[in-house]
Amino acid sequence: MFLSEINYKFDMLVYNINDRVLDIVSSYYNQYIPSLSHSSYLPVTYVTILTVFALLYISFSGTSSRWRVESSKSALKKIKSIEIPAQVIAYIRKMDPFTFEEMILTSINRNTFVKIERNKRYTGDGGIDGKFFINGSLFLIQAKRYHGLVKTSDIEDLLQKTTYHNATGSLFIHTGKTSTVALKRYSEGKVFIVSGHAMVALIQKGKLPLGLLNLAQPKEL
């Protein structure tokens, strides 16, 4: 009984909305598209509305991406003028996380032998903040703005994603502190932890870890 009442109210709501929409659009269709049948008014109207919203979303996403790329370039100029690494890290911790990601990609892209690949959107990409290729080898990027110790579970998660994507290696870039345990466990593997002075060097100069560059070298036959 209760469900039937809900279904009835919902049907009435839909009916009233459709009726109101028809009142609004009927005069327009009669005047400008007289060949359009009355039964097509609602489908055409709703398809048009969905199309407009989709185009607005695509346009907004593209604008947001371009804005953050430009914002990252502006942030890089400021960071290059800061000589004390601790001040650079403090500045990054206050930064918009997506701008931080773009800044890393922009910095890495300064290396002429690197080809970067930006995500199509800032969320929903499985925790991967960017990708780049060296000699055809794929590398993943994950950026974290920590204030304290790095979470080893986050590093482990990136290691699993590196294996899943069949990547040669990955960069785990963070603004916090790396524990001794994390360094021992991941210092000789596919995940390269970049923090402190190493992170500042990567941001300011595009300097990549030597171990990662060795992994990217073409294999001798």
Side-chain angles (χ1 to χ4, degrees):
M1 184 68 180
F2 178 70
L3 289 176
S4 297
E5 184 177 351
I6 291 178
N7 288 333
Y8 173 76
K9 289 182 177 180
F10 177 77
D11 289 341
M12 288 303 298
L13 176 63
V14 172
Y15 174 82
N16 289 330
I17 291 174
N18 288 339
D19 190 54
R20 179 58 179 159
V21 171
L22 282 173
D23 285 341
I24 295 172
V25 303
S26 290
S27 59
Y28 174 86
Y29 287 137
N30 285 331
Q31 182 176 357
Y32 296 102
I33 318 178
S35 60
L36 188 66
S37 65
H38 188 272
S39 61
S40 301
Y41 286 1
L42 285 176
V44 170
T45 300
Y46 289 140
V47 168
T48 301
I49 291 172
L50 288 173
T51 301
V52 169
F53 274 108
L55 291 173
L56 286 173
Y57 174 78
I58 293 171
S59 176
F60 175 79
S61 298
T63 301
S64 176
S65 176
R66 288 192 297 272
W67 176 83
R68 286 197 167 95
V69 171
E70 293 305 316
S71 179
S72 71
K73 292 178 181 178
S74 177
L76 273 174
K77 289 181 180 179
K78 181 174 178 61
I79 286 175
K80 287 176 183 178
S81 67
I82 302 175
E83 297 181 358
I84 303 174
Q87 292 180 354
V88 173
I89 295 171
Y91 177 78
I92 292 174
R93 282 175 179 165
K94 298 176 183 178
M95 184 182 295
D96 171 71
F98 299 133
T99 301
F100 179 36
E101 296 170 14
E102 289 292 354
M103 188 171 63
I104 291 169
L105 286 166
T106 301
S107 296
I108 291 175
N109 199 41
R110 294 175 62 190
N111 296 293
T112 55
F113 55 84
V114 171
K115 179 183 177 182
I116 65 169
E117 182 178 302
R118 287 183 162 87
N119 292 338
K120 294 181 180 179
R121 55 187 183 276
Y122 286 107
T123 57
D125 283 282
I128 302 303
D129 298 324
K131 303 172 185 176
F132 63 96
F133 297 84
I134 302 177
N135 295 324
S137 297
L138 169 65
F139 293 90
L140 309 180
I141 300 171
Q142 191 165 68
K144 296 285 187 181
R145 295 177 309 138
Y146 288 116
H147 285 272
L149 284 172
V150 64
K151 297 177 182 178
T152 53
S153 59
D154 287 342
I155 305 174
E156 187 65 32
D157 181 61
L158 179 58
L159 178 58
Q160 292 175 9
K161 287 182 172 65
T162 304
T163 302
Y164 175 79
H165 289 278
N166 197 29
T168 301
S170 56
L171 289 177
F172 188 87
I173 305 167
H174 72 93
T175 60
K177 298 178 180 178
T178 308
S179 67
T180 304
V181 174
L183 281 174
K184 286 183 178 179
R185 185 178 298 176
Y186 301 102
S187 60
E188 296 181 2
K190 287 190 172 184
V191 175
F192 295 85
I193 302 173
V194 182
S195 61
H197 286 73
M199 185 196 69
V200 174
L202 184 146
I203 296 295
Q204 290 184 328
K205 303 176 182 178
K207 187 176 181 180
L208 292 165
L210 181 59
L212 182 145
L213 295 176
N214 290 334
L215 277 181
Q217 293 300 316
K219 302 294 186 295
E220 294 184 3
L221 298 176

